[in-house]
Amino acid sequence: MVFDNSVPAGSIEGVQWVKSSASVGQGNCVELAKLPGGEVAMRNSRYPDGVALIYTREEIVAFLKGAKGSEFDHLTV
């Protein structure tokens, strides 16, 4: 199945959504799910039936490298 960007997250079935352990129970986190075609879906945990953004594996790898390298830290201060 092919998923378009901005698909309703609730319509993505048969995947396991994963939330960071750094989320402290208030639901203020993003959740990710690996899709059957290798893409990764991302949704806001506060709105699990809201919109999911779909990224390629390569896009997620690039984002994670940037996050691990503190490239986005300035956005949280």
Side-chain angles (χ1 to χ4, degrees):
M1 178 173 222
V2 176
F3 293 95
D4 292 322
N5 239 337
S6 301
V7 65
S11 71
I12 301 174
E13 298 177 348
V15 299
Q16 180 178 2
W17 291 95
V18 179
K19 186 187 312 185
S20 168
S21 62
S23 179
V24 288
Q26 297 162 347
N28 298 328
C29 199
V30 297
E31 296 176 319
L32 297 143
K34 185 174 181 180
L35 301 176
E39 300 92 350
V40 176
M42 183 183 294
R43 70 180 181 184
N44 185 325
S45 65
R46 289 179 290 154
Y47 307 103
D49 291 324
V51 173
L53 298 177
I54 310 300
Y55 296 95
T56 65
R57 180 189 176 285
E58 293 78 14
E59 289 168 330
I60 291 296
V61 167
F63 172 75
L64 292 174
K65 283 183 180 179
K68 289 176 183 179
S70 303
E71 294 178 19
F72 309 114
D73 289 359
H74 69 283
L75 299 172
T76 62
V77 289

Coordinates of all heavy atoms in Angstrom, one line a residue:
M1 N 0.8 -1.2 0.0 CA 0.0 0.0 0.0 C 0.9 1.2 0.0 O 1.9 1.3 0.7 CB -0.9 0.0 1.2 CG -1.8 1.2 1.4 SD -3.0 1.0 2.7 CE -4.4 1.6 2.0
V2 N 0.5 2.2 -0.8 CA 1.2 3.5 -0.9 C 0.5 4.5 -0.1 O -0.7 4.7 -0.2 CB 1.4 3.9 -2.3 CG1 2.0 5.3 -2.4 CG2 2.2 2.9 -3.1
F3 N 1.2 5.3 0.8 CA 0.6 6.3 1.6 C 1.1 7.7 1.1 O 2.3 7.9 0.8 CB 1.0 6.1 3.1 CG 0.5 4.9 3.7 CD1 1.2 3.8 3.8 CD2 -0.8 4.9 4.2 CE1 0.7 2.6 4.3 CE2 -1.3 3.7 4.8 CZ -0.5 2.6 4.9
D4 N 0.1 8.6 1.0 CA 0.5 10.0 0.6 C 0.7 10.8 1.9 O 0.3 10.4 2.9 CB -0.7 10.6 -0.2 CG -0.9 10.0 -1.5 OD1 0.1 9.7 -2.2 OD2 -2.0 9.8 -2.0
N5 N 1.4 11.9 1.7 CA 1.6 12.8 2.9 C 0.3 13.3 3.3 O -0.6 13.5 2.5 CB 2.6 13.9 2.5 CG 3.8 13.9 3.4 OD1 3.8 13.4 4.5 ND2 4.9 14.5 2.9
S6 N 0.2 13.6 4.6 CA -1.0 14.2 5.2 C -2.2 13.2 5.2 O -3.3 13.6 5.1 CB -1.4 15.5 4.5 OG -0.3 16.4 4.6
V7 N -1.9 11.9 5.2 CA -2.9 10.9 5.3 C -3.4 10.9 6.8 O -2.6 11.2 7.7 CB -2.4 9.5 4.9 CG1 -1.3 9.1 5.8 CG2 -3.5 8.5 4.8
P8 N -4.7 10.7 7.0 CA -5.2 10.5 8.4 C -4.5 9.4 9.1 O -4.4 8.3 8.6 CB -6.7 10.2 8.2 CG -7.0 10.8 6.9 CD -5.8 10.6 6.0
A9 N -3.8 9.7 10.2 CA -3.0 8.6 10.9 C -3.9 7.4 11.3 O -3.4 6.3 11.3 CB -2.4 9.2 12.2
G10 N -5.2 7.7 11.6 CA -6.1 6.6 12.0 C -6.3 5.6 10.8 O -6.8 4.5 11.1
S11 N -6.1 6.0 9.6 CA -6.3 5.1 8.5 C -5.1 4.2 8.2 O -5.2 3.3 7.3 CB -6.6 6.0 7.2 OG -5.4 6.6 6.8
I12 N -4.0 4.4 8.9 CA -2.8 3.6 8.8 C -3.0 2.4 9.7 O -2.9 2.5 10.9 CB -1.5 4.3 9.0 CG1 -1.4 5.5 8.1 CG2 -0.3 3.4 8.9 CD1 -0.2 6.4 8.4
E13 N -3.3 1.2 9.2 CA -3.5 0.1 10.0 C -2.4 -0.9 9.9 O -1.6 -1.0 9.0 CB -4.8 -0.6 9.6 CG -6.1 0.3 9.7 CD -7.3 -0.3 9.2 OE1 -7.3 -1.4 8.5 OE2 -8.4 0.2 9.5
G14 N -2.3 -1.8 11.0 CA -1.3 -2.8 11.0 C 0.1 -2.4 11.2 O 1.0 -3.1 10.8
V15 N 0.3 -1.2 11.8 CA 1.7 -0.8 12.2 C 1.8 -0.5 13.7 O 0.7 -0.4 14.3 CB 2.0 0.6 11.4 CG1 2.0 0.4 9.9 CG2 1.1 1.7 11.8
Q16 N 3.0 -0.5 14.2 CA 3.2 -0.2 15.6 C 3.8 1.2 15.7 O 4.9 1.4 15.2 CB 4.2 -1.3 16.2 CG 4.4 -1.0 17.7 CD 5.3 -2.1 18.2 OE1 5.8 -3.0 17.6 NE2 5.6 -2.0 19.5
W17 N 3.0 2.0 16.4 CA 3.5 3.4 16.6 C 4.4 3.4 17.8 O 4.2 2.7 18.8 CB 2.3 4.3 16.9 CG 1.5 4.5 15.7 CD1 0.4 3.9 15.3 CD2 1.7 5.5 14.6 NE1 -0.1 4.4 14.1 CE2 0.7 5.3 13.7 CE3 2.7 6.4 14.4 CZ2 0.7 6.1 12.5 CZ3 2.7 7.2 13.3 CH2 1.6 7.1 12.3
V18 N 5.6 4.1 17.7 CA 6.6 4.1 18.7 C 6.7 5.6 19.2 O 6.9 6.5 18.4 CB 7.9 3.6 18.2 CG1 9.0 3.6 19.3 CG2 7.8 2.2 17.7
K19 N 6.7 5.7 20.5 CA 6.9 7.0 21.1 C 8.2 7.0 21.9 O 8.5 6.0 22.6 CB 5.7 7.3 22.1 CG 5.7 8.7 22.7 CD 4.7 9.0 23.7 CE 3.3 8.5 23.3 NZ 2.3 8.8 24.3
S20 N 8.9 8.1 21.9 CA 10.1 8.2 22.7 C 9.9 8.0 24.2 O 8.9 8.4 24.8 CB 10.7 9.6 22.5 OG 11.8 9.9 23.4
S21 N 10.9 7.3 24.8 CA 10.8 7.1 26.2 C 11.0 8.4 27.0 O 10.7 8.5 28.2 CB 11.8 6.1 26.7 OG 13.1 6.5 26.4
A22 N 11.5 9.5 26.3 CA 11.7 10.8 26.9 C 10.3 11.5 27.1 O 10.2 12.5 27.8 CB 12.6 11.6 26.1
S23 N 9.3 11.0 26.4 CA 7.9 11.6 26.6 C 7.5 11.2 28.0 O 7.4 10.0 28.4 CB 7.0 11.0 25.6 OG 5.7 11.6 25.8
V24 N 7.1 12.2 28.8 CA 6.9 12.0 30.2 C 5.4 11.8 30.6 O 4.9 12.3 31.5 CB 7.5 13.1 31.1 CG1 9.0 12.9 31.2 CG2 7.1 14.5 30.6
G25 N 4.7 11.1 29.7 CA 3.3 10.7 30.0 C 2.2 11.8 29.7 O 1.1 11.5 30.0
Q26 N 2.6 12.9 29.3 CA 1.7 14.0 29.0 C 1.2 14.0 27.5 O 0.4 14.8 27.1 CB 2.2 15.3 29.4 CG 2.5 15.4 30.9 CD 3.5 16.6 31.2 OE1 4.1 17.1 30.3 NE2 3.6 16.9 32.4
G27 N 1.7 13.0 26.8 CA 1.3 12.9 25.4 C 2.0 13.9 24.5 O 1.6 14.0 23.3
N28 N 2.9 14.7 24.9 CA 3.5 15.7 24.1 C 4.7 15.2 23.4 O 5.9 15.5 23.7 CB 3.9 16.9 25.0 CG 2.7 17.6 25.6 OD1 1.6 17.6 25.1 ND2 2.9 18.1 26.8
C29 N 4.5 14.4 22.4 CA 5.6 13.8 21.7 C 5.1 13.4 20.3 O 3.9 13.4 20.0 CB 6.1 12.5 22.5 SG 7.7 12.0 22.0
V30 N 6.1 13.1 19.5 CA 5.7 12.5 18.2 C 5.8 11.0 18.3 O 6.6 10.5 19.1 CB 6.6 13.1 17.0 CG1 6.4 14.6 16.9 CG2 8.0 12.8 17.2
E31 N 5.1 10.4 17.4 CA 5.2 8.9 17.3 C 5.5 8.5 15.9 O 5.1 9.2 14.9 CB 3.8 8.3 17.7 CG 3.4 8.5 19.1 CD 2.1 8.0 19.4 OE1 1.1 8.1 18.6 OE2 1.9 7.4 20.5
L32 N 6.3 7.5 15.7 CA 6.8 7.0 14.4 C 6.3 5.6 14.2 O 6.2 4.8 15.2 CB 8.3 7.1 14.3 CG 8.8 8.5 14.5 CD1 10.1 8.5 15.2 CD2 9.0 9.1 13.1
A33 N 6.1 5.3 12.9 CA 5.7 3.9 12.6 C 6.4 3.6 11.3 O 6.3 4.4 10.3 CB 4.2 3.7 12.5
K34 N 7.0 2.4 11.2 CA 7.5 1.9 9.9 C 6.4 1.4 9.1 O 5.6 0.5 9.5 CB 8.6 0.8 10.2 CG 9.3 0.4 8.9 CD 10.4 -0.6 9.2 CE 11.1 -0.9 7.9 NZ 12.2 -1.9 8.1
L35 N 6.3 1.8 7.8 CA 5.3 1.4 6.9 C 5.7 0.2 6.1 O 7.0 0.0 5.9 CB 4.9 2.5 6.0 CG 4.3 3.8 6.8 CD1 4.0 4.9 5.8 CD2 3.1 3.4 7.6
P36 N 4.8 -0.6 5.5 CA 5.2 -1.8 4.8 C 6.2 -1.5 3.6 O 7.0 -2.4 3.3 CB 3.8 -2.3 4.3 CG 2.8 -1.8 5.2 CD 3.4 -0.4 5.7
G37 N 6.1 -0.4 3.0 CA 7.0 -0.1 1.9 C 8.3 0.5 2.3 O 9.1 0.8 1.4
G38 N 8.6 0.6 3.6 CA 9.9 1.1 4.1 C 9.8 2.5 4.5 O 10.8 3.0 5.1
E39 N 8.8 3.3 4.2 CA 8.7 4.6 4.6 C 8.4 4.7 6.1 O 8.1 3.7 6.7 CB 7.5 5.4 3.9 CG 7.7 5.4 2.4 CD 7.0 4.2 1.7 OE1 6.6 3.3 2.4 OE2 6.9 4.3 0.5
V40 N 8.5 5.9 6.7 CA 8.2 6.1 8.1 C 7.1 7.1 8.2 O 7.2 8.2 7.6 CB 9.4 6.5 8.9 CG1 9.1 6.8 10.3 CG2 10.5 5.4 8.7
A41 N 6.1 6.8 9.0 CA 5.0 7.8 9.2 C 5.3 8.4 10.6 O 5.8 7.8 11.5 CB 3.6 7.1 9.3
M42 N 4.9 9.7 10.7 CA 5.1 10.5 11.9 C 3.8 11.2 12.2 O 3.1 11.8 11.4 CB 6.2 11.5 11.8 CG 6.5 12.3 13.0 SD 7.8 13.6 12.8 CE 9.2 12.6 12.4
R43 N 3.3 11.1 13.5 CA 2.1 11.7 13.9 C 2.3 12.4 15.3 O 3.3 12.1 16.0 CB 1.0 10.8 14.0 CG 1.1 9.8 15.2 CD -0.1 8.8 15.2 NE 0.0 7.9 16.3 CZ -0.8 6.9 16.5 NH1 -1.9 6.7 15.7 NH2 -0.7 6.1 17.6
N44 N 1.5 13.3 15.6 CA 1.5 14.0 16.9 C 0.7 13.1 17.9 O -0.4 12.7 17.7 CB 0.8 15.3 16.8 CG 0.9 16.2 18.1 OD1 0.8 15.6 19.2 ND2 0.9 17.5 17.9
S45 N 1.4 12.7 19.0 CA 0.8 11.8 20.0 C -0.5 12.4 20.6 O -1.3 11.6 21.1 CB 1.8 11.4 21.0 OG 2.2 12.5 21.8
R46 N -0.6 13.7 20.7 CA -1.8 14.3 21.2 C -3.0 14.2 20.3 O -4.1 14.3 20.8 CB -1.6 15.8 21.5 CG -0.6 16.0 22.7 CD -0.4 17.5 22.9 NE 0.4 18.0 21.8 CZ 0.4 19.3 21.4 NH1 -0.4 20.2 22.0 NH2 1.1 19.7 20.4
Y47 N -2.8 13.9 19.0 CA -3.8 13.8 18.0 C -3.6 12.5 17.2 O -3.3 12.6 16.0 CB -3.9 15.0 17.1 CG -3.9 16.3 17.9 CD1 -2.8 17.1 18.1 CD2 -5.1 16.7 18.5 CE1 -2.9 18.3 18.8 CE2 -5.2 17.9 19.2 CZ -4.1 18.7 19.4 OH -4.2 19.8 20.1
P48 N -3.7 11.3 17.8 CA -3.4 10.1 17.1 C -4.2 9.8 15.9 O -3.8 9.1 15.0 CB -3.6 9.0 18.2 CG -4.5 9.6 19.2 CD -4.2 11.1 19.2
D49 N -5.4 10.5 15.7 CA -6.2 10.3 14.5 C -6.1 11.5 13.6 O -6.8 11.5 12.6 CB -7.7 10.1 14.9 CG -7.9 8.8 15.6 OD1 -7.2 7.8 15.2 OD2 -8.7 8.7 16.5
G50 N -5.1 12.4 13.9 CA -4.9 13.5 13.0 C -4.1 13.1 11.8 O -4.0 12.0 11.4
V51 N -3.4 14.1 11.3 CA -2.6 13.9 10.1 C -1.3 13.2 10.4 O -0.6 13.5 11.4 CB -2.3 15.3 9.4 CG1 -1.3 15.1 8.3 CG2 -3.6 15.9 9.0
A52 N -0.9 12.3 9.5 CA 0.5 11.7 9.6 C 1.3 12.1 8.4 O 0.8 12.2 7.3 CB 0.4 10.1 9.6
L53 N 2.5 12.5 8.7 CA 3.4 12.9 7.6 C 4.3 11.6 7.2 O 4.7 10.9 8.1 CB 4.3 14.0 8.0 CG 3.6 15.3 8.4 CD1 4.6 16.3 8.9 CD2 2.8 15.8 7.2
I54 N 4.5 11.4 6.0 CA 5.2 10.2 5.5 C 6.6 10.6 5.0 O 6.7 11.6 4.2 CB 4.4 9.5 4.4 CG1 2.9 9.3 4.8 CG2 5.1 8.2 4.0 CD1 2.7 8.5 6.0
Y55 N 7.6 10.0 5.5 CA 9.0 10.3 5.1 C 9.6 9.0 4.5 O 9.3 7.9 4.9 CB 9.8 10.7 6.3 CG 9.3 12.0 6.8 CD1 8.4 12.1 7.9 CD2 9.7 13.2 6.3 CE1 7.9 13.3 8.4 CE2 9.2 14.4 6.8 CZ 8.3 14.4 7.9 OH 7.8 15.6 8.4
T56 N 10.6 9.2 3.6 CA 11.4 8.1 3.2 C 12.3 7.7 4.3 O 12.6 8.4 5.2 CB 12.2 8.4 1.9 OG1 13.2 9.4 2.2 CG2 11.3 8.9 0.8
R57 N 12.8 6.5 4.2 CA 13.8 6.0 5.1 C 15.0 6.9 5.1 O 15.6 7.3 6.2 CB 14.3 4.6 4.8 CG 15.3 4.0 5.7 CD 15.9 2.7 5.2 NE 16.9 2.2 6.1 CZ 18.2 2.7 6.2 NH1 18.5 3.7 5.4 NH2 19.0 2.2 7.0
E58 N 15.5 7.4 4.0 CA 16.6 8.3 3.8 C 16.4 9.6 4.5 O 17.3 10.2 5.1 CB 17.0 8.5 2.4 CG 17.5 7.2 1.7 CD 16.4 6.2 1.3 OE1 15.2 6.6 1.3 OE2 16.7 5.1 1.0
E59 N 15.2 10.1 4.4 CA 14.8 11.4 5.1 C 14.9 11.2 6.6 O 15.4 12.1 7.3 CB 13.4 11.9 4.6 CG 13.4 12.3 3.2 CD 12.0 12.5 2.7 OE1 11.0 11.8 3.1 OE2 11.8 13.4 1.8
I60 N 14.4 10.1 7.1 CA 14.4 9.9 8.6 C 15.9 9.7 9.0 O 16.3 10.3 10.1 CB 13.6 8.7 9.0 CG1 12.1 9.0 8.8 CG2 13.8 8.2 10.4 CD1 11.5 10.1 9.6
V61 N 16.7 9.0 8.3 CA 18.1 8.8 8.6 C 18.8 10.2 8.7 O 19.5 10.5 9.7 CB 18.8 7.9 7.6 CG1 20.3 8.0 7.8 CG2 18.3 6.5 7.8
A62 N 18.6 11.1 7.7 CA 19.2 12.4 7.7 C 18.7 13.2 8.9 O 19.5 13.9 9.6 CB 18.8 13.1 6.4
F63 N 17.4 13.1 9.2 CA 16.9 13.9 10.4 C 17.5 13.4 11.7 O 17.9 14.2 12.5 CB 15.4 13.8 10.5 CG 14.8 14.3 11.7 CD1 14.7 15.7 11.9 CD2 14.4 13.5 12.7 CE1 14.2 16.3 13.1 CE2 13.9 14.1 13.9 CZ 13.8 15.4 14.1
L64 N 17.6 12.1 11.9 CA 18.1 11.5 13.1 C 19.6 11.9 13.2 O 20.1 12.2 14.4 CB 17.9 10.0 13.1 CG 16.5 9.6 13.3 CD1 16.4 8.0 13.2 CD2 15.9 10.1 14.6
K65 N 20.3 11.9 12.2 CA 21.8 12.3 12.2 C 21.9 13.7 12.7 O 22.7 14.1 13.5 CB 22.4 12.1 10.9 CG 22.8 10.7 10.6 CD 23.5 10.5 9.2 CE 23.9 9.1 8.9 NZ 24.6 9.0 7.6
G66 N 21.0 14.6 12.1 CA 21.0 16.0 12.5 C 20.6 16.2 14.0 O 21.2 16.9 14.7
A67 N 19.6 15.4 14.4 CA 19.2 15.5 15.8 C 20.3 15.0 16.8 O 20.6 15.6 17.8 CB 17.9 14.7 16.1
K68 N 20.9 13.9 16.4 CA 22.0 13.4 17.3 C 23.2 14.3 17.3 O 23.9 14.3 18.3 CB 22.4 12.0 16.8 CG 21.4 10.9 17.0 CD 21.8 9.6 16.4 CE 20.7 8.5 16.7 NZ 21.1 7.2 16.1
G69 N 23.3 15.1 16.2 CA 24.4 16.0 16.2 C 24.1 17.4 16.7 O 24.8 18.4 16.5
S70 N 23.0 17.5 17.4 CA 22.5 18.7 18.1 C 22.2 19.9 17.1 O 22.2 21.0 17.5 CB 23.5 19.2 19.1 OG 23.8 18.2 20.1
E71 N 21.9 19.6 15.9 CA 21.7 20.6 14.9 C 20.4 21.4 15.1 O 20.2 22.5 14.6 CB 21.6 20.0 13.5 CG 23.0 19.5 13.0 CD 23.0 18.9 11.6 OE1 22.0 19.1 10.9 OE2 23.9 18.1 11.4
F72 N 19.4 20.8 15.9 CA 18.1 21.4 16.1 C 18.0 21.9 17.5 O 16.9 22.4 17.9 CB 17.0 20.4 15.8 CG 17.2 19.8 14.4 CD1 17.4 18.4 14.3 CD2 17.1 20.5 13.2 CE1 17.6 17.8 13.0 CE2 17.3 20.0 12.0 CZ 17.6 18.6 11.9
D73 N 19.0 21.8 18.4 CA 18.9 22.2 19.8 C 18.4 23.6 19.9 O 17.7 24.0 20.9 CB 20.2 22.0 20.5 CG 20.5 20.5 20.7 OD1 19.7 19.6 20.3 OD2 21.5 20.2 21.3
H74 N 18.8 24.5 19.0 CA 18.5 25.9 19.2 C 17.0 26.2 19.0 O 16.5 27.2 19.4 CB 19.3 26.8 18.1 CG 18.8 26.5 16.7 ND1 19.2 25.4 16.0 CD2 18.0 27.2 15.9 CE1 18.6 25.4 14.8 NE2 17.9 26.5 14.7
L75 N 16.3 25.2 18.5 CA 14.8 25.4 18.3 C 14.0 25.2 19.6 O 12.9 25.5 19.7 CB 14.3 24.4 17.3 CG 14.9 24.6 15.9 CD1 14.5 23.4 15.0 CD2 14.5 25.9 15.3
T76 N 14.7 24.7 20.6 CA 14.0 24.4 21.9 C 14.3 25.3 23.0 O 13.9 25.1 24.2 CB 14.3 22.9 22.3 OG1 15.7 22.8 22.6 CG2 13.9 21.9 21.3
V77 N 15.1 26.4 22.7 CA 15.4 27.3 23.8 C 14.7 28.6 23.6 O 14.3 29.0 22.6 CB 16.9 27.6 23.9 CG1 17.6 26.4 24.4 CG2 17.5 28.0 22.6

